[in-house]
Amino acid sequence: MKIINPTLAAVAAVPKQYPEEILPEIAFVGRSNVGKSSMINCLIGRKSLARVSQAPGKTRTINFYNIDDKMYFVDLPGYGYAKAPKSEKEKWGIMIDKYLTGREQLKAVALLLDIRHAPSVLDLQMFEWLKHYNMPIIFVLTKLDKIKRSQAPKHIKIIREALGVPATATLLPLSSETRQGKEEILAKIQELCLDSEQ
C-alpha cells in the first residue's frame, strides 16, 4: 500500500463534522502518549501532518486524514490521561463511543499498546469493548526502538498473554522513529479496509 497525497480532511467534535464521503475508515485508539500521531505520520510518510506533542492528552478531537481518496485514517483522542478534568474525560469517552458505534464506514481499529509495558486496565477494557462489537483489530506495539531487539519477543509474549489473544493473532511491533514494522501494518490495513471492499 503506497500513500501519495495524504491530507487532514476534518477535525470533528460531533458527528455532523465528520467527512461526508463514503470511504472505508480505520481508527487508531490507545492510551494518551502511546504514539498515535507519530504512528500516523510514520505510515503516511509525513513529519508533522498529525500533530505530535510531548504533553499527553493533546488530541481532543477526532481527526480524519484522507489517504489518496481511497480511505480515511481516523485519530481518536487518547484515553487514560490522568491530568484531564473528569468532565473532559467523560466528554472524550462519549465522543469516542459515538464514533466507534455509529460509523458504518469503520472497517477496523488499530489498538496501540506500548511494547515496554503490560496492557493497562483501560487497554484491556478497550480490547473487550472492541471484541464485544466484533470489530476487526490490528494490534500495534509502539516504541519498538525503546527496547533492545533481543527483548522484543519477551515483551510481545507478555502483552499477548495479558490480552489473552491466540497465537494466530498477529501483534505488529512498530518504531515510528526507524519505520520498522511500517510495511507490515500498511499491508494489514489494506487487507482489512481496502481489499475487503473490492
Side-chain angles (χ1 to χ4, degrees), residues 63-84:
N63 299 333
F64 291 80
Y65 298 92
N66 182 309
I67 307 301
D68 299 337
D69 292 324
K70 292 178 183 168
M71 67 177 298
Y72 284 105
F73 286 2
V74 184
D75 188 8
L76 298 178
Y79 51 78
Y81 178 46
K83 289 185 182 173

Side-chain angles (χ1 to χ4, degrees), residues 172-184:
L172 298 169
L174 172 74
S175 166
S176 295
E177 294 290 320
T178 68
R179 299 186 176 82
Q180 187 180 343
K182 170 183 171 176
E183 296 306 323
E184 291 83 351

Side-chain angles (χ1 to χ4, degrees), residues 17-116:
Q17 296 170 331
Y18 297 169
E20 292 180 4
E21 300 97 319
I22 308 298
L23 294 173
E25 294 176 2
I26 178 168
F28 297 85
V29 300
R31 282 179 65 84
S32 291
N33 222 25
V34 76
K36 289 192 307 306
S37 299
S38 296
M39 174 183 172
I40 290 170
N41 285 329
C42 170
L43 295 181
I44 64 181
R46 295 288 187 277
K47 279 200 173 142
S48 57
L49 188 59
R51 283 180 301 172
V52 178
S53 170
Q54 294 305 311
K58 277 291 181 191
T59 305
R60 300 189 179 195
T61 50
I62 299 177
N63 299 333
F64 291 80
Y65 298 92
N66 182 309
I67 307 301
D68 299 337
D69 292 324
K70 292 178 183 168
M71 67 177 298
Y72 284 105
F73 286 2
V74 184
D75 188 8
L76 298 178
Y79 51 78
Y81 178 46
K83 289 185 182 173
K86 190 178 175 195
S87 59
E88 191 80 6
K89 285 194 228 178
E90 285 172 359
K91 205 158 66 179
W92 296 350
I94 292 165
M95 191 195 308
I96 293 167
D97 193 71
K98 264 189 185 164
Y99 170 77
L100 290 173
T101 55
R103 193 69 169 160
E104 284 184 24
Q105 295 95 306
L106 182 61
K107 300 299 177 189
V109 171
L111 176 58
L112 277 65
L113 303 155
D114 188 327
I115 196 168
R116 299 171 297 177

Side-chain angles (χ1 to χ4, degrees), residues 1 185-197:
M1 178 178 173
I185 292 166
L186 285 174
K188 196 70 181 168
I189 290 172
Q190 170 147 349
E191 176 194 327
L192 291 176
C193 301
L194 295 177
D195 294 350
S196 62
E197 294 292 290

Side-chain angles (χ1 to χ4, degrees), residues 121-135:
V121 171
L122 289 172
D123 291 326
L124 294 170
Q125 285 175 355
M126 177 56 78
F127 176 47
E128 289 302 319
W129 191 97
L130 294 171
K131 280 199 301 184
H132 174 75
Y133 284 99
N134 292 318
M135 183 60 63

